Amino acid sequence: LYATYFGGDDSSPADNEARDLWLQYLPSERVLPFDAKDNFWEMGATGPCGPCTEIHYDRIGNRDAAALVNMDDPNVIEIWNNVFIQFNREPDGSLRPLPHKHIDTGMGLERLTSILQNKMSNYDTDIFMPIFHDLRKILQNQGVPDAPKYNGKVGADDIGGVDMAYRVIADHIRTLSFSIADGAMPSNDGRGYVLRRVLRRAVRYGRSNLKAEIGFFSQLVPTVVRLFGGFYPELREKEDLITSVISEEETSFGQTLDKGLHKFEAMATKCASTGIFAAKDAHILYTTMGFPVDLTELMVEERGMKLDKEGFEKLMQHEIELSAKALQEKQLKASGGVDMTLEAEQTNYLIEKNIPVTQDELKYSREGSFDARILELYVGRNATDMYGFIGTIHAEDVGGKMIGIILDQTSFYAESGGQVTDTGMLASIDGDAMIQIENVQVYAGYVVHSGRLLSGSVCIGEHVKLSVDFERRLKIASNHTMTHVLNFALRHVLVLHPEESEKSNVAQQLDQKGSLVDDSKLRFDFSWNGPLSESQLAKIEQVCADRVKSAVPVESYVAPLADAHQISSLRAVFGEAYPDPVRVVSVSSTPLQEILNDPSNENWFDYSIEFCGGTHLTNTSEAEDFVLLNEEGIAKGVRRITAVTMQVARDAIELDRQLQDKLTAAREMDVKELEQEIKRLTVEVNNSSISAARKLRMKDSLTELSRKVIAWKKEQGANITSKIVAAALEAAEKEADSHVVCRVDFGLDGKVAKLVMAQWCALNKEEKRALLMVTADIPTDKFMVFATANGCEGVDCKAWVTAATLAMDAKGGGKSDSAQFNVHGVHKIDLVLEKAR
């Protein structure tokens, strides 16, 4: 065993405490100092960080392997790590001690397993070998010639990267299976993008190195479930979902991979003379084609070139910095250019001053104003020597900038749980200060009321009157309560009572993935594999609207967490940590205490019961109405519903009625005028904020009307064509020649001209007479000349029409069997007819 510790640098002291502890158990030559790269952990450019100490193991033993520690030697491996999170990295790069220090510890399961099983590689253990075995069987079933076995080779010995492919695929199928089971999904951002890149890397290795066909990767899911499902039952529960998601992603990347490889070839050819694959090209493949950089680097090396990895990392870092800067600017803009967040040093300052956390029980009040005492005033991080805190603030000194106020108690709701912050006013009781509150946030129990001091001055110890905008709060509460009802309705319609066609849907596990509740709408994200049908949307909307009409009581109760978890129908956010005791909110006709006394009762599945700390209605009737406006996909396996309540819902219902009246009127319109009305109504319906289900029905109605117009046009076209051909036949009777030349005016409709030629040929199969016709459009002063050979020997239609319109600047074209030209100037028609004859 070897132990490492942080040896210190210019910005951070050496962790001698860890060193001295290790020296009690290991000789000094086994306790090794390292720099920040290896032994100082940071989550990013700023934030919590600290030194770490690691345990390393030499697989070979009986030698001095100190020089091989932290050198990526496969036989000298790290098996355990302890991070001492004791500092906060500031934006200026300095370190501030954290008020509360923590230890993050973790060991490597696979590495310890290899030591216990006396294997020289993690991949030789019973964690991975069964996956290798099943992967080879899949290759054989796909007909891969001489499907290779796993031989544990690395580097130059691994011909064609076969064993590397086995290792990558086995590792990545585990990663994806566990992540999807835990609720993560491949997507285009955040952790979802990490998963997508991991999947694509595995698929490329399988396709390129093992010659596997698309579909091989998802077939490994049952193997992972068999190996780990006993310890992790969620793998078994969600096996179908995991397989479906991976299969769809794998198929999709099959197309992306081919496009990306083609693009890579072009880029590599361009850089061949220098031998350096450009960083910007690697960045393009990464950002637009989903190629992980290690995949690009591998392909570059296969061509005997080098990737400008340093340049690529600079581009990525620049992208990260731009994103971070944009987020910071957005936050600063929202707070008037002032950073109003409380970090560890601010909350520690308050704790050391014995400032009590804010009492916020009044945030559930529905009316009235309340008195409170100012405990601290805040003007932004690092704005003063006292971490941004100040004793007195005058309106003329801050000039309309944001200030923060910490009170002993508050009736304002701080943003949390997807519910937006309250707004309102604070007014000093004995002074002349008026503060417009625009944002309320909570940090470690301290509620910061951020707003603008409109007049007067405020100081610590002063008493103020709190006036929440309760009219706005009621709208938020309505949307929040109906978010709970929507969550219930989704499970009721999609999981408990699915449509016949949906019973085999693999995504039967429906979990909340996020929400946003403000005064204008509610937004709810949930796991579901595919869009909802018009019928499902209508049923979900109806369940919610019925709950509003039924005037169901809304109740909250604080209960022990263990007791609340026993409620059979409880809905909670997966992975969320809830306090003990926890606040339970029910939308039910049965009192919550009765539900808690009989938690396993199946009747509770008829009610909405959730953990929630937000503000709510007392009865669903206060929501007035409910309209589900939109349903869309936002990530792989994640759908989003947007809905409205109260006046916004009533406005949507009224707009729906108006559009329905217009559709009814359109059905009675003369078909000649209907086409323009359909175009106008289509735009209006598409842009309308109405029920999503009813919008789909309206679109179906418009489609039906469009078919009516098409049928009418087809009928009219057939009638017009018949008349034109009849006129041509009449002209043919007057001409003995096999070439018929005539004029019949029907405008410049090329489609009609083609129908005329087709019908002429059908009626003159035996005689095989060629036709050249002229049709004029008087308003535009243009005419069209078209011809069909109809099998007549020696007729070249293009040459015929060209000769007839020679020197007339005619525009068109054709072939020997048919041709069509347009000419400007109807006065030229007689000349064209003469030339044609």
Side-chain angles (χ1 to χ4, degrees), residues 636-655:
K636 182 66 183 173
V638 181
R639 311 297 298 177
R640 169 173 291 171
I641 283 178
T642 303
V644 290
T645 65
M646 300 185 76
Q647 185 61 48
V648 185
R650 293 202 303 274
D651 290 344
I653 292 169
E654 173 58 23
L655 178 57

Side-chain angles (χ1 to χ4, degrees), residues 655-669 673-688 690 695 698-699 701-703 705-706:
L655 178 57
D656 182 303
R657 186 193 62 75
Q658 293 173 9
L659 287 171
Q660 196 59 57
D661 288 347
K662 291 178 181 179
L663 265 174
T664 301
R667 291 189 181 96
E668 304 301 320
M669 289 181 68
E673 302 170 5
L674 187 55
E675 185 171 15
Q676 289 304 314
E677 181 65 8
I678 290 171
K679 289 179 180 178
R680 191 186 65 76
L681 274 176
T682 298
V683 172
E684 198 169 345
V685 169
N686 286 340
N687 294 333
S688 64
I690 61 171
K695 181 182 284 191
M698 287 185 187
K699 288 180 176 180
S701 297
L702 288 167
T703 300
L705 289 175
S706 295

Side-chain angles (χ1 to χ4, degrees), residues 478 481-490 492-493 522 536-552 587 619-628 643-646 649-650 653 691 694:
S478 173
T481 296
M482 292 311 296
T483 299
H484 285 216
V485 175
L486 172 62
N487 193 0
F488 159 80
L490 284 165
H492 182 81
V493 172
L522 63 94
Q536 290 170 325
L537 291 171
K539 288 177 182 177
I540 292 163
E541 184 175 55
Q542 192 60 54
V543 169
C544 294
D546 287 347
R547 291 294 158 119
V548 173
K549 292 184 177 70
S550 300
V552 183
V587 183
N619 191 288
T620 56
S621 61
E622 296 174 76
E624 301 175 12
D625 226 315
F626 178 92
V627 175
L628 194 161
V644 290
T645 65
M646 300 185 76
R650 293 202 303 274
I653 292 169
S691 162
R694 291 183 63 80

Side-chain angles (χ1 to χ4, degrees), residues 78-98:
E78 177 191 344
I79 60 172
W80 211 300
N81 190 343
N82 295 287
V83 179
F84 305 110
I85 303 173
Q86 62 192 75
F87 301 113
N88 192 75
R89 179 75 70 181
E90 296 298 306
D92 63 1
S94 62
L95 294 174
R96 285 194 183 185
L98 290 171

Side-chain angles (χ1 to χ4, degrees), residues 14-33:
D15 188 8
N16 293 327
E17 184 180 2
R19 178 199 64 189
D20 294 343
L21 283 168
W22 279 122
L23 288 174
Q24 296 178 31
Y25 303 97
L26 293 172
S28 57
E29 64 270 18
R30 298 286 186 96
V31 181
L32 311 172

